[in-house]
Amino acid sequence: MPKGQSSIKHRVRAVILLVSIVVLLITATLFVAYEVISFRAQLVQNLSTLAAVIADNIAAPLAFNSEETAEEILSALKAEPDIVAASVFDREGNVFAKYPLQSQTHLLPAQLENAGLRFTADALVVFQPVIKEKKSIGTLYLRASLQGLYGRFWRYGAIGGAVLIGSLAVAFVLSTLLQKRISDPILALTSAAQKVSQAGDYSVRAPKLTEDELGTLTDAVNRMLAETQANQSRLAEQARLLNLTFDAILVRDAHNRITYWNRGAEELYGFTQEEALGKVSHELLRTEFPDSLEQIEEKLHRDNRWLGESVQTRKDGGKIHVASRWTLDRDAQGKQASTLEINTDITERKAFQAGLERLVAERTAKLQETVTELEAFSYSVSHDMRAPLRAMQGYAKALLKDYEDKLDSQAAHYLERISRASNRLDSLIQDVLAYSRVAKGEITLHPVDLERLIQDILPNHPEFQPPQACLLMEKPLHLVLGHEACLTQCVTNLLGNAVKFVPSGVVPQIRVRTELLDGRVRVWFEDNGIGIDTLHHDRIFEIFGQVHPEKKYGGTGIGLAIVRKAVQRMGGEVGVESEIGQGSRFWFILNEAKT
Amino acid sequence: MTTKRALLLVEDNEDDVFLMQRALQEAAVINPLLVLEDGQQALDYLGGAGKYCDRTEYPLPAVVFLDLKLPYKSGHDVLKWIRQQKEFDPLVVVVLTSSNEPYDLSKSYALGANSYLVKPPTPEQLLDLAKAFKWYWLEYNRFEEA
C-alpha cells in the first residue's frame, strides 16, 4: 500500500512543518511588533527631547522677533534626517519661521493645534509650546517622518521571511529525517500485518526499530503473532489428528448444514469437503434414522447429546450402517450453535452380528428340537419304564400271595427283594420327573401361605404326624412369593428328609419357622436328625448328591436337588446349617409377599 | 344302590390288565369287566360298529377306565370322541394312566373326564384304589339306567 506509506510519512512531515511554521510566525510577529513598538517609543522620546531643546533655543529669537536666528536654529535640524519639517508659530498663531525654507506647505499644519505628540499616517508630529519667563510666547511644530520606522519594519519583515524560509528548509530536512523514526516502525508493523493477512503466514515478525511506545507496540504485536502461530500450529496439529481418525467427523450448523467435514468423512462417504460443505447432512447422506428426526432433535436438545445407529448412503450409492454420536454445542445465549457428529462405520459389525444372530437362531432352533425330542424321550421312557415296574411288583406280590404255601422262606425273601428294588426304581423315576418338571415348568409367583400349604400336605403324609413324627409350626409363618406346586414339592421333600434321616428309635421332631430379612423371608426346617458333616453341605444339593447310606435311610438322592432347583426358579436361595449328631437346620429364602 | 352294569377297561399293557383285573377281583367287584387293547377298538365298541352292534353280548358300560397311551387312537382322542356323542353324556370316564404330568391331567379334565387316577406303583395301593372305586362309583354313585 504505497499510498498509505506516503500518507503516514507526509502526515508526520506536515505536522512537523506546520508546527515549525506556526512557531516561527508567532516568534517573528512578536519580534517585529516589539521592534515597532520600541522604535516608536524611542521616536516619541527623541522627538520630545528635540522639541523641548529647540523650543528652549527658539524662545529668545521668537521673543525678539529674530526670524533669521529662528530659522538658523531650525536649520540645525538637518542633522536629524528624520525631521522632515518644522515651524514656529507666534502667539497669534502665525508662522514665524519654518524649516526647511522651501518646505512644501503640505508638510506644515494648516493651523495651530493643541500641544502634544500625535501620529499621523506617515509622521509623528509634535506641537511644543515655546515658553519664555513662564509665559507661552508661541508654538514649535516638528514633523518626524515615519520612513525610518517603516523601513525598519520592512527590513525586519524581510529578515523574518528569510529566516522563516531558511527555518522551513531546515525543518523540512529535519522532519524528513525525524519522521522516519516514527513512520518506519509503523510501516514495518504495517508490512508485517499485510504479510500475515495476505499470506496467512504467522511466522512473520515486525523488526523492532525503537525502544519507545512503538517498540513496545512492536513487541506486543510480535508476541501476539507468536501466540497465534502457536495456536495455529496446535489447531493444525489437532486438525491433522482429526483427519487421521477412521471416524467421520462433521459439524453442522443450526440448520443442519455441514460446516466441517474431515478426511474420515471423505473416505467413509466418498464426498469431498467441497461437495459436502453447506449441504444438509441427512439429505446428502440420505440418512435413515432409528426414530423420527424430530424425536432425535428433541432428545438432543434435552440431553445435549444423542447416540444411535443409522443407515446412510455413500456417494457411490452403497448403504452403510453407522454408530452415530451427536453433541450439541450452544452459544453464550444457550441457543443451538452447532452440532458435532461422529459416525463410525459398523456395517461389517452389523453384518457379522446378523450372521451371528442367524447362527444363534439356527442353533437355538436345533437345540429346541433336541430338547423337545429329549423331553418326549424322557416322558416316554419314564412312563414306559413304570409299567414293567408295576408288573414286576404285581407279579411278585401275586406269587407271594397265590403260592404262599408252595414257596420256602428263601424264595419269599427273593420276591420281596424284587418288589423292593422295583419300588425304589419307581421312586427314582418319579423324582427325576419331578426334577424336570421343576426345572423347566412354567413358574408364576403368587403369595403363598405356608401354614395352609403344610396343613394341606399333612393328610397325604402320615409319616409327618404323631405318632410317627412331631411337626411344630412356629406361627405365624410369613407369606412368601412362590409357586404353589414348587413350594409343595420343596416342603414335602424337606419334611421327608427330616423324618427319614433320624437315628433308629428316635421320633423325628421338626420345627418350621420363618424369619424376616428386609423384604425377604427365610423359612427354617429344623430337625433332630443325624445331621450332616459340613464337608458335604454343598454336595447334598446336587443331583444324586446323597451322603447317607441308602440302605439305611432310603431316598433317591434327588430330593434336595429338586428343592434347590425349585427355590432358584422362584428367585430364592437354599442352604443348611448342620453338624453330625446335632440335627439339621435347612432353610430357603424367598421374597416376602406384602399383604 | 349298587349297579351291576359292565365296566370297560381300555388298556394295551396286558400286565396292567392282569393287575387291574386282580385288584378288582380282590376288592370284590362283581361287575363284568370288558377289556379293549387300543383306542380304535374302544371307538368301535362304544359306537356299536361291526360285531359290537350286538348289545347283549357287548353291552354299553357304566364306567370306562381309559389309559392315555394307546395304539391307533390315544386316550385323549377317545375321550374327545365320547364327549362329542350326546348319548354318552352319562358315561363315566375315569382316566387311569401312569402319567402324572400336569399337561395330561389338565387336558383330560378339559376334554370332560370324570376322574383322573395315576396308576399306583404297588399292588397294595392298587387294591386300595380298587376298593375306593368300588365303594364310591359302584355303591354310592347313581347312574342313569341304560
Side-chain angles (χ1 to χ4, degrees), chain A residues 20-89:
Chain A
S20 305
I21 288 169
V22 168
V23 168
L24 281 169
L25 275 178
I26 290 171
T27 310
T29 308
L30 285 175
F31 179 70
V32 168
Y34 172 76
E35 278 297 317
V36 168
I37 288 165
S38 69
F39 185 75
R40 276 173 61 146
Q42 202 188 342
L43 206 62
V44 167
Q45 179 69 40
N46 288 347
L47 195 64
S48 303
T49 309
L50 192 66
V53 169
I54 291 173
D56 210 26
N57 290 339
I58 210 116
L62 184 63
F64 295 105
N65 212 6
S66 173
E67 213 179 302
E68 285 173 19
T69 313
E71 283 178 349
E72 215 171 294
I73 289 167
L74 287 181
S75 69
L77 288 171
K78 272 186 282 194
E80 293 289 336
D82 285 344
I83 306 297
V84 290
S87 62
V88 178
F89 297 88

Side-chain angles (χ1 to χ4, degrees), chain A residues 237-281:
Chain A
E237 176 68 9
Q238 285 167 354
R240 194 180 67 79
L241 289 174
L242 278 183
N243 272 336
L244 280 182
T245 173
F246 293 130
D247 289 336
I249 300 176
L250 50 139
V251 177
R252 297 183 270 117
D253 64 12
H255 304 288
N256 285 326
R257 284 188 300 254
I258 298 166
T259 57
Y260 175 79
W261 185 258
N262 80 333
R263 185 132 19 108
E266 291 187 337
E267 284 169 11
L268 179 59
Y269 298 114
F271 292 106
T272 64
Q273 194 178 331
E274 290 71 31
E275 289 169 322
L277 291 184
K279 302 273 168 49
V280 173
S281 60

Side-chain angles (χ1 to χ4, degrees), chain A residues 393-443:
Chain A
Q393 283 190 324
Y395 288 116
K397 290 284 170 182
L399 260 179
L400 275 171
K401 204 168 195 173
D402 296 357
Y403 298 90
E404 203 180 357
D405 43 349
K406 292 178 186 160
L407 291 171
D408 62 13
S409 64
Q410 185 82 0
H413 176 67
Y414 289 166
L415 284 169
E416 284 294 344
R417 292 292 291 268
I418 290 173
S419 176
R420 221 184 303 151
S422 51
N423 231 342
R424 174 164 160 69
L425 186 53
D426 193 65
S427 319
L428 260 175
I429 292 168
Q430 291 215 62
D431 277 357
V432 169
L433 282 175
Y435 183 86
S436 77
R437 259 201 303 276
V438 162
K440 66 179 185 53
E442 200 172 306
I443 299 261

Side-chain angles (χ1 to χ4, degrees), chain A residues 183-194 206-207 214 217-219 221-222:
Chain A
S183 59
D184 278 4
I186 293 176
L187 290 176
L189 271 177
T190 311
S191 105
Q194 274 171 352
L214 276 172
L217 177 64
T218 308
D219 280 345
V221 168
N222 284 341

